[in-house]
Every structure is written in C-alpha cells, then in structure tokens.
Amino acid sequence: MAAPMLRGVSRGRWIVTPGPLGVLPLGLREAHSGAQGLLAVQKARGLFKEFFPERGTKVELPMLFDRGAASNLPQTIYCGFDPTADSLHVGHLLALLGLFHFQRAGHHVIALVGGATARLGDPSGRTQEREVLHAERVGRNARALRRGLEAVAANHRQLFSDGRAWGSFTVLDNAAWYQEQHLVDFLAAAGGHFRMGTLLSRLSVQTRLRSPEGMSLAEFFYQVLQAYDFYYLFQRYGCRVQLGGSDQLGNIMSGYEFIHKLTGEDVFGITVPLITSTTGAKLGKSAGNAVWLNRDKTSPFELYQFFVRQQDDSVERYLKLFTFLPLPEIEHIMQLHVREPEKRGPQKRLAAEVTKLVHGQEGLDSAKRCTHALYHSSIDALEGMSDRELKELFREASFSELVLDPGTSVLDTCRKANAIPDGPRGYRMITEGGVSINHRQVTNPESVLVVGQHILKNGLSLLKIGKRNFYIIKWLQL
C-alpha cells in the first residue's frame, strides 16, 4: 500500500490522496459531559492517564466516542509497538488493553509494528542510545511481534466476549510505507512542516541533550517518523487517536501538530501509565527486568507467578488496569480479601485473568498445574504435565533420557542422571534424606524403582537433590 502523500509539494509522489476509508466526519460541536462514557470509565480505572489536547479543538475528544450522537461513526485508534525484541512484555500490556477497551466499545483499533522506526530507536524515557539493530534482525522481530499481537487479540476475542458488537483489530507494519520512499524526497516534503525549536523543546530531547552521551540524529528524527505514522493512519484509516505510554506524549504532540498543519483537522492522544518494578524502574527489556509474553521466553507459570506475587497495596490497582472485570466485582474481591488475606484471592484472580488473555485457557491450565506441582507437591499435577511444562517449570534442571532396565535402583538412577557424586558420599546423600523422587523422600539407595511411584504415568521422574537442584528424567522403553 502506497503512503498518503503530502499536500502542497510539486513532486507528484507527495500530493495528498485520501485513503480508501477517507476521514471520518467531525460533526458539530455540542455539549458533552466528560464525566460519562468510555473515556471517563477508563480514566476512573486508572488506565487512561492523560488526554491531548484537552481543550480548544473544534470537537472535544469525548464527543468522538459518544455513540449516542447520530452523526458519530466508529472511530479508529492506534498504538505503536517497536520490535526491539522478538516478544512483547508486560510493559506493553496496558497499551494493548487500552486498544481492546476501544475495540469492545465498537471502535476499530490498529496495532502498529514499528519495523522502520525500530531501526532508529525511540529516545523517550532513555538516558542513553539504544543498541543499533540491523534490518534482518528488526525484520525477524517484527514478524514475531505481529504473531504475538495476533495471538493475544485472538485470545481476547475467543475468551473475553461480552455479547456486544466489537470493532476490528488490525496489525500493520510501518516498514510498508517507508521502504519505497527516498530520504531526500521525504525530507523535502515533510521537513518543512516541523520547527526545530518545537522538536528541541521535547522533554525526551532535552534530557538526552543534557546527558554526557548526547543524542544522535537518528534518535532525534524518531519523533518525525512517529508523527508521519499518525498522519498516514489518519489519511488512510481515518485514525484520530493515538494511544501510547506516558513517556510518548512528546511524540504524540508532534503528530498532532504535523496533522493539524497539513489538514487543519484535530487529532488526539491518550497515554497509559508505565508499569514499574518495586524499585520504581520501568519494566522492559532495556531495564533487564522484562516479563515476556512469548512462552519461549517467559512461561505461563512464570507470568502467572509474577502477578500472584504482587503486593496487597498494588493488587486492586492492577485488577483495574490489567483485567476487564467490572469495578463492583473488583470491590467485592477486595472485600473478601480483607476477611481472608491469607488466601491471596485478588492476586490469584489477577494472575488468572492476565495469563488467560496472554496464553489462552491452555496456558492458564498449564500455569495452575505447574503451581500445584511445585508449591503443593501434587503428584496428580506432576503426572498431568508435559515434557515442555516440566522444562519450563524447572528451567535450570538437567534433562535426561534413560532406559529403564529391570532392577534399576534409586542409586542407579541418581548416578545415571549425574545427580550425585560417585562413591560413599553419593550413597550417604540418599541415606541421610537429601534425595526425593516426585516429591517423596527416598532413603534406601537399593530400592528398585516402581512405576506409579518413582515413575509417573507420563513416563517422567522428577529428581530433587538437596533443596534446589532438580533433574528431569524421561524413561524410555517402559
């Protein structure tokens, strides 16, 4: 799809041509209470943090989402996700949930993968320049991000339907409209609509310019491309609203100013809060504390436990931010928690809702099996686990495939798995109670393995030496 071209430039390829959906009509300004409707509900939940611009536009933002007005059509909202890694992480979830709330209200949403912008690197919220990513790696990451976005969107549609007519969910990649453009043509057409003073005044730019490392031209140019993305989506899809993290407000403002100069129309920005660790650090790849949404990087069990471990002082806020649960139901959950805090009911519900959204019902079931196997010493849970689940649960465990010979003993098993040292010391580790198989302590080294006790129905044994060392054994020729 060719990019919409810029108005007022003599080069033929930069003349504005409206996209297939055109631009949605603005309608007439009318009185509207900001205390009602979709925006106010999400503001009350804490999901929507800032609105830009708040006043002074021909049509105020809440009016666009007033479905009671006869002239109002479904709106289009977008949010960008740069493929600096091959997976989304928990820090991206709030922006994605923001899109889902608009979709559930009947509006169309676009998740924009930044296959082009990721090569520049967004300086927002950063104290130093990002690692330079080569085109091949960005392309792989972009494809992985697309798959991840589509998977979560599919879980959302399949498992969280509320009976309403939802809008569409579309994944695009901005590489599609930059790869055919020439740099000089782009700068000649777009560059004149950006003022250096305004670009330099952005907080993200000021912070970097004052840092010892300074700021590269590539990073500085990032906000120009993000502004053009907004313009492209406005022209092609009638997109009037950009959603982003609270550190994206400066980039959103650049997009608003660019579109307003070119078209005279108003567009809007909405920010969502950034999720931070207990130390206040932003969760993400760069900070080294990312909780990934890709199962190969963070298992459903690990994601589930991340939310189960949330503190009491944050769990109510997280239920409002990360779930679709109605506020009265959240209030009821918290009331029960006051009476029985030891059950950690809010944390478990939060973990279940998020894990189901990210990994589907099968992922949630897997997380619960792993939880029961690890923390409740459940043999039934162990027997129901797949090889993959065991490897996910015990990521540091050694994995062995052994042939079950007649008369194989506990001592034989431990030595074949290289779990104990040879000689008397290894023998004593068993007799002194330092070895367990499938959560059962074994103290007789000469005991012969019994199927159903030492070997589970799924053909696996979980061997533990001491308190922390696990070994997974898959038995062959049972």
Side-chain angles (χ1 to χ4, degrees), residues 290-316:
V291 179
W292 302 99
L293 306 192
N294 184 323
R295 183 170 185 163
D296 293 334
K297 298 168 81 74
T298 298
S299 71
F301 165 75
E302 291 167 321
L303 179 69
Y304 183 87
Q305 289 300 320
F306 171 78
F307 285 99
V308 164
R309 292 193 296 267
Q310 294 303 314
Q311 300 297 316
D312 284 353
D313 58 3
S314 62
V315 68
E316 181 176 7

Side-chain angles (χ1 to χ4, degrees), residues 5-10 14 16 185-199 202 221 223-224 227-228 231 253-264:
M5 304 310 171
L6 301 179
R7 176 183 298 153
V9 178
S10 59
W14 294 98
V16 172
D185 288 344
F186 182 83
L187 287 176
H193 298 281
F194 292 91
R195 303 267 68 85
M196 285 298 298
T198 303
L199 297 178
R202 305 294 185 219
F221 199 61
Q223 60 181 308
V224 174
Y228 183 77
Y231 170 79
M253 291 168 65
S254 293
Y256 165 81
E257 291 161 358
F258 183 51
I259 292 170
H260 194 69
K261 282 182 181 180
L262 284 171
T263 69

Side-chain angles (χ1 to χ4, degrees), residues 300-348:
F301 165 75
E302 291 167 321
L303 179 69
Y304 183 87
Q305 289 300 320
F306 171 78
F307 285 99
V308 164
R309 292 193 296 267
Q310 294 303 314
Q311 300 297 316
D312 284 353
D313 58 3
S314 62
V315 68
E316 181 176 7
R317 174 174 176 256
Y318 279 12
L319 280 168
K320 294 175 181 178
L321 291 175
F322 286 101
T323 79
F324 302 109
L325 298 176
L327 292 178
E329 184 173 352
I330 293 174
E331 183 178 355
H332 178 66
I333 291 170
M334 296 309 299
Q335 288 172 350
L336 294 178
H337 182 57
V338 171
R339 295 201 290 269
E340 299 176 304
E342 70 281 359
K343 291 187 175 181
R344 296 185 68 77
Q347 285 88 346
K348 291 177 181 178

Side-chain angles (χ1 to χ4, degrees), residues 18 35 93 219 250 381:
L93 264 182
E219 290 180 296

